[in-house]
Amino acid sequence: MSRRWLFVLALLIALLSCPPQWYPMPIRLKLTEWFGAAGFRGLPPSVEAMATEPEVFCPPDPEGWRDRQLIEDVDIAASAPCVADNPYTVATFVRGSNNVSQATLLKSGLAADAVEKGRDLDGDGDPDEIHIRLEVAELNGGSAVVPGPVTRYEIAPGIRPGLWVFAPKFVGMAVENFESNRARRSLRLPSPAIRIEQGDTVRITLENTHYMPHTLHLHGADHGFVDVSGEGNDGVPITSEMPVMPGDSRSYELSPRHAGTMFYHCHVQPHVHVMMGLQGLFIVEENRPDNWLQTMNIGAGLVRVPSRSLRESFDREYDLHYLDLDKELSERIQLHNDPRLITRSMHRDYDITDSAPDYFTLNGRSFPYTFRESLLVGEDDERIRLRVVNGGAKGIALHTHGHKFTATHRDGVALPEDTLAPQDVIWLATSQRVDLALELKNDGLHSYGPGIWPFHDHQYNGITSDGIGPGGNISAIVYAQYMDEAGWPQTRGVSFDRYFTEAFYRKEIPVWESYAPGLFSDTGHDLLMLLRVLGLALAGGIMAALGVGALIRRSRGRKLNHNQGQS
Amino acid sequence: MNPRALFAAGLMLLLPMKGSGQDGVDHSKHSAHQMTVDPAGVVMNQNHDTLPRDCTEISRDYEFTIHAGRKYAADFPGMIYGMSQHEVRVQPCSRITITFVNEDSVRHQWMVHGLPKYLYPAGMFHIEASGGHSKTGTFIVPGDDRSYLVHCDMAQHMEKGMRGQLVVGNGSGDLWGVAGVSDDFYRYSYLPWHTSLLAALVLVFAFLATLWLAKKW
Ligand SMILES: [Cu+2]
Ligand SMILES: [Cu+2]
């Protein structure tokens, strides 16, 4: 008898608990007909946004690396954005690590044989024998002793995907500080842009400091299939030579007859290795007298010592390296430490045919860090050369606000004069290069006048970081009068506080919180609804128990009857 | 837990406990270090004759020749780089001369952390040998019993085998993850995922068997 009452009680609880918005529609309509609408109950209040401590937008430059300066007789142009390359490293790349003073070499951080420059073979006043050394470094890798990624490198606040890069040969630690474990400033994404002169005798030695086999493939640059000694020289394991094993080195040779913007990358399991970051711009400059080139441009961006040929028709030159990253790939080096497990995970378990990119970088960073170092800063009426590569897996629809640029070269080859036309979106296929002429000429076509004009991928995933915008490869063309002393653009829109907060890219902060506090905040909870749901659960539990009990009793009863029937 | 705090906790596994990381000096600025760079490599913060504060004299002179390269990892599955000797044991207040022989074609380093910062900028002594070269350097250890981290700070070389320890006197306990000496702190299970099915099967069997036995008794 008490079981029946319990059932009735549970039914009552269920009926009372059931939220009116869950009643079947005919019942709701009938109730409305009888009683009208239910009384007003305010929606839950907005949750107050968490207090955030944004990072410093514009790190200080105590040693004056941004300034124009003369080092080793090399005139190094000023770099307007907050973060600039070490000018001593730049000067050493221009003169050669074998030709600078010990003091400059120490300040450059480079090894004595990082970039060796030899004889002037054609007698035109610049060295033509160039020996470049490249190492392979892992950023944000795993460890069996320390938690979290090691040799840390952030592409944006709190975003640390595992990366592999080709790196110039430095001396000393990979980190700038053992306690913080951050990668030293010059050890970064993207792999450096390399510049050589047409006709130079170039040797590039790959010193494989990584724990996996790699090679160097000179994509689009004139090089022999074999070198002088008959060894394979194309960097392709399936056709030209064995890969370079960990701890080993190998030299590649070229003396390119054709100038243009080319590309270099590893060719071992390229669908994985190239997409981990083993790729860089490879630029062959036209031969000119007394043409001392900045052999490497760390992190791409502004070329602080542009070539003679560039200076003939442009005021500045920027290298722009676009790369997208798939976090399902890049995280694999963080999940294991044993290279056998990593190799299996990356090259067999990972399936690129099921992949989609999550992070979109320009010169190794995503917004807002792009605003620290990848702004295109220029003055009125300047002509700016952009060398652009799309190293990512997806195409890029590169778009400029306030300007139309002209593509003059594609894949290192000049386009016919009569086909050149200004445009504001250009499509770059994977691994494609274009040379763009950007004119800050306020004529209503090439430029609409001074300002802070964004430029970005117009494919919408490219302007996010794992789906959070603004992120991705957004940067801006900034006229010098819009830059402040420290190198930050004087934007007049929303505050950047949220964007310089890790939690924003962890998807924990409402997107408009900074200028509409409370209006579009996260919502609080509905406690009455919680009570109703718990009531329903209680009633459901009671009824289920009663039901199961009844079933058991029935089957026992049957068994009993059966047994009685036998005896 | 925020990543910085986690990382700080991790450092405890790497560095000797007392006196480490108290001032967080950034030693990316080479000016603070005594060093020269030549094609064979670098020796940084060499010290032939300045005694640590807690020493009255040099107790003993040691010379070690340590080889580095891929072949020294051959006996350790899952390691790529190694050293001929991952542990160096010395007396307190002794003077140590290390000849570091690099048998690979890429750079390697023999770097000690946690030395007194008044004597060694950033608390480190560092030898770096270019591929195929060797470099020699000398330093003096303090008088207390401690174990110091020795490693190669090329990205991932410590993780992939080049981690060792310098034990002064009786040391202060082994550091984690020293090849041939101590275990990894984070160790993978090395079992396929379906081992969990086998474990579940054994659990069910044990449950049923216990029920059956309990009924019998
Ligand atoms: Cu590779
Ligand atoms: Cu090493």
Side-chain angles (χ1 to χ4, degrees):
Chain A
M1 196 47 68
S2 63
R3 274 198 292 272
R4 186 161 302 156
W5 283 115
L6 194 57
F7 181 79
V8 171
L9 180 69
L11 202 65
L12 208 65
I13 293 174
L15 282 174
L16 285 174
S17 301
C18 185
Q21 64 261 46
W22 290 3
Y23 293 173
M25 188 55 80
I27 294 179
R28 292 201 73 183
L29 291 177
K30 197 37 100 182
L31 287 172
T32 307
E33 220 173 88
W34 290 343
F35 304 110
F40 177 74
R41 199 162 69 83
L43 299 178
S46 294
V47 172
E48 207 176 312
M50 61 156 117
T52 55
E53 276 179 62
E55 298 171 14
V56 175
F57 296 0
C58 197
D61 177 30
E63 286 163 85
W65 283 2
R66 300 167 55 230
D67 306 336
R68 180 179 175 185
Q69 46 207 292
L70 201 69
I71 299 170
E72 298 280 337
D73 229 17
V74 177
D75 186 1
I76 296 162
S79 178
C82 307
V83 176
D85 288 333
N86 178 345
Y88 294 92
T89 314
V90 173
T92 305
F93 285 144
V94 175
R95 288 295 169 212
S97 52
N98 56 330
N99 296 326
V100 294
S101 68
Q102 180 72 209
T104 299
L105 190 61
L106 276 177
K107 285 182 176 171
S108 77
L110 290 166
D113 57 358
V115 174
E116 292 174 309
K117 299 204 173 179
R119 289 173 298 168
D120 176 6
L121 300 175
D122 56 7
D124 70 347
D126 57 59
D128 304 311
E129 287 178 325
I130 313 289
H131 191 174
I132 298 166
R133 284 182 169 81
L134 286 176
E135 295 183 338
V136 180
E138 177 167 309
L139 303 173
N140 298 321
S143 167
V145 175
V146 182
V150 294
T151 321
R152 280 174 36 199
Y153 175 84
E154 273 109 9
I155 61 168
I159 304 179
R160 303 179 189 95
L163 299 165
W164 294 344
V165 291
F166 290 110
K169 189 176 180 184
F170 292 105
V171 295
M173 302 173 75
V175 291
E176 69 178 14
N177 171 322
F178 190 73
E179 280 84 4
S180 83
N181 200 16
R182 297 173 77 91
R184 62 193 291 167
R185 193 151 146 189
S186 312
L187 197 58
R188 56 167 297 168
L189 187 73
S191 305
I194 294 177
R195 270 184 169 69
I196 59 168
E197 204 182 28
Q198 191 179 6
D200 277 357
T201 302
V202 181
R203 251 174 106 75
I204 305 176
T205 302
L206 174 61
E207 300 190 349
N208 186 2
T209 48
H210 195 231
Y211 54 78
M212 282 190 189
H214 301 294
T215 62
L216 190 68
H217 170 67
L218 301 166
H219 174 135
D222 173 27
H223 65 277
F225 178 69
V226 290
D227 65 13
V228 223
S229 56
E231 295 270 320
N233 194 46
D234 194 32
V236 181
I238 58 169
T239 47
S240 64
E241 83 263 349
M242 297 297 286
V244 187
M245 296 303 285
D248 291 348
S249 73
R250 181 185 187 90
S251 293
Y252 300 84
E253 296 175 0
L254 79 162
S255 185
R257 293 161 288 184
H258 181 84
T261 307
M262 311 303 179
F263 192 40
Y264 70 96
H265 58 82
C266 173
H267 220 295
V268 177
Q269 297 281 317
H271 62 287
V272 169
H273 290 211
V274 183
M275 293 317 299
M276 286 294 289
L278 290 175
Q279 51 166 289
L281 270 164
F282 192 84
I283 295 149
V284 183
E285 297 272 4
E286 288 169 23
N287 195 3
R288 291 287 187 280
D290 200 26
N291 196 12
W292 290 74
L293 297 179
Q294 183 186 328
T295 307
M296 290 199 220
N297 188 10
I298 292 180
L302 177 70
V303 183
R304 293 184 76 178
V305 185
S307 69
R308 290 265 168 198
S309 56
L310 187 281
R311 279 180 275 166
E312 287 164 9
S313 30
F314 292 94
D315 299 292
R316 288 167 208 270
E317 180 178 32
Y318 288 92
D319 296 333
L320 303 181
H321 188 145
Y322 287 88
L323 172 63
D324 57 53
L325 301 164
D326 177 9
K327 68 177 178 186
E328 279 76 29
L329 171 63
S330 59
E331 73 186 8
R332 286 170 188 265
I333 58 172
Q334 300 167 346
L335 301 179
H336 295 296
N337 187 53
D338 187 328
R340 299 168 298 178
L341 299 171
I342 300 174
T343 302
R344 183 199 166 105
S345 173
M346 299 185 86
H347 300 99
R348 285 195 281 163
D349 298 344
Y350 176 68
D351 181 351
I352 193 171
T353 64
D354 294 336
S355 75
D358 302 289
Y359 302 119
F360 305 86
T361 64
L362 163 60
N363 293 349
R365 308 281 191 188
S366 293
F367 180 89
Y369 285 176
T370 45
F371 270 48
R372 282 179 176 170
E373 48 184 72
S374 288
L375 297 176
L376 303 181
V377 181
E379 315 221 351
D380 296 13
D381 297 318
E382 279 188 348
R383 278 174 59 81
I384 299 176
R385 162 64 85 210
L386 308 177
R387 308 240 190 197
V388 192
V389 62
N390 173 17
K394 77 168 194 81
I396 285 182
L398 181 59
H399 168 58
T400 48
H401 291 215
H403 296 80
K404 291 199 195 292
F405 50 77
T406 305
T408 60
H409 298 69
R410 189 184 296 126
D411 298 338
V413 178
L415 296 167
E417 198 74 39
D418 58 350
T419 65
L420 302 186
Q423 57 189 125
D424 59 35
V425 177
I426 189 164
W427 179 252
L428 278 98
T430 297
S431 86
Q432 188 150 57
R433 288 88 57 211
V434 287
D435 295 3
L436 307 179
L438 179 70
E439 297 187 39
L440 308 194
K441 187 170 65 182
N442 184 0
D443 59 3
L445 175 67
H446 296 91
S447 163
Y448 313 156
I452 301 171
W453 301 101
F455 73 96
H456 56 85
D457 183 1
H458 221 290
Q459 293 229 297
Y460 299 104
N461 49 358
I463 53 170
T464 76
S465 294
D466 201 15
I468 289 291
N473 56 37
I474 301 169
S475 190
I477 302 164
V478 185
Y479 285 63
Q481 56 268 47
Y482 279 87
M483 294 290 284
D484 72 15
E485 271 298 290
W488 190 252
Q490 293 166 313
T491 55
R492 13 176 83 205
V494 300
S495 159
F496 274 41
D497 281 359
R498 302 280 149 164
Y499 311 143
F500 275 97
T501 304
E502 292 190 13
F504 183 79
Y505 291 101
R506 283 200 307 264
K507 318 189 176 193
E508 292 168 5
I509 297 181
V511 291
W512 296 323
E513 190 63 37
S514 72
Y515 59 91
L519 194 52
F520 305 105
S521 305
D522 284 333
T523 55
H525 299 300
D526 186 336
L527 291 178
L528 181 59
M529 187 67 180
L530 176 68
L531 225 63
R532 286 180 182 279
V533 169
L534 294 181
L536 272 183
L538 185 71
I542 294 171
M543 286 198 243
L546 290 175
V548 170
L551 280 176
I552 290 174
R553 273 195 314 282
R554 188 186 289 179
S555 76
R556 268 214 197 119
R558 222 182 264 146
K559 218 185 240 170
L560 219 63
N561 288 342
H562 185 71
N563 288 348
Q564 279 167 350
Q566 269 186 339
S567 56
Chain B
M1 201 176 192
N2 84 43
R4 252 199 119 78
L6 250 181
F7 187 77
L11 274 180
M12 296 301 182
L13 307 169
L14 281 178
L15 289 178
M17 295 296 279
K18 26 179 183 174
S20 64
Q22 69 268 57
D23 57 3
V25 174
D26 176 353
H27 50 75
S28 60
K29 293 170 196 73
H30 291 171
S31 49
H33 296 285
Q34 310 128 36
M35 64 184 270
T36 51
V37 177
D38 68 49
V42 177
V43 179
M44 195 189 273
N45 300 339
Q46 192 152 211
N47 174 23
H48 288 276
D49 35 36
T50 311
L51 285 174
R53 282 176 196 152
D54 55 353
C55 298
T56 50
E57 57 174 0
I58 291 189
S59 64
R60 207 182 138 174
D61 267 298
Y62 289 94
E63 279 183 30
F64 296 96
T65 300
I66 295 175
H67 297 254
R70 219 174 85 211
K71 78 177 196 199
Y72 296 100
D75 293 340
F76 301 105
M79 288 187 188
I80 298 290
Y81 296 112
M83 296 185 275
S84 55
Q85 156 172 18
H86 290 93
E87 184 178 74
V88 173
R89 289 185 167 269
V90 296
Q91 279 180 14
C93 297
S94 57
R95 178 161 55 199
I96 304 153
T97 298
I98 303 279
T99 298
F100 186 55
V101 184
N102 181 353
E103 297 184 21
D104 276 343
S105 304
V106 304
R107 290 189 293 142
H108 283 303
Q109 303 165 343
W110 196 89
M111 186 183 283
V112 185
H113 281 277
L115 292 167
K117 290 184 179 173
Y118 60 84
L119 208 50
Y120 302 91
M124 60 189 267
F125 167 76
H126 169 52
I127 303 178
E128 173 168 325
S130 293
H133 286 89
S134 71
K135 271 279 185 190
T136 300
T138 300
F139 66 111
I140 302 169
V141 294
D144 51 343
D145 289 350
R146 268 175 79 172
S147 307
Y148 296 85
L149 173 73
V150 174
H151 72 141
C152 175
D153 199 75
M154 306 278 293
Q156 284 290 322
H157 283 207
M158 170 164 77
E159 286 70 23
K160 302 300 179 269
M162 294 190 76
R163 179 163 53 226
Q165 61 180 5
L166 167 67
V167 180
V168 175
N170 296 319
S172 49
D174 285 336
L175 303 176
W176 284 95
V178 176
V181 173
S182 56
D183 200 3
D184 285 349
F185 191 75
Y186 299 104
R187 195 187 155 106
Y188 183 66
S189 70
Y190 291 94
L191 291 173
W193 69 269
H194 46 259
T195 311
S196 54
L197 296 183
L198 182 67
L201 218 66
V202 170
L203 189 138
V204 169
F205 170 79
F207 177 76
L208 294 176
T210 309
L211 277 186
W212 182 72
L213 283 173
K215 214 168 175 187
K216 274 197 95 174
W217 295 331

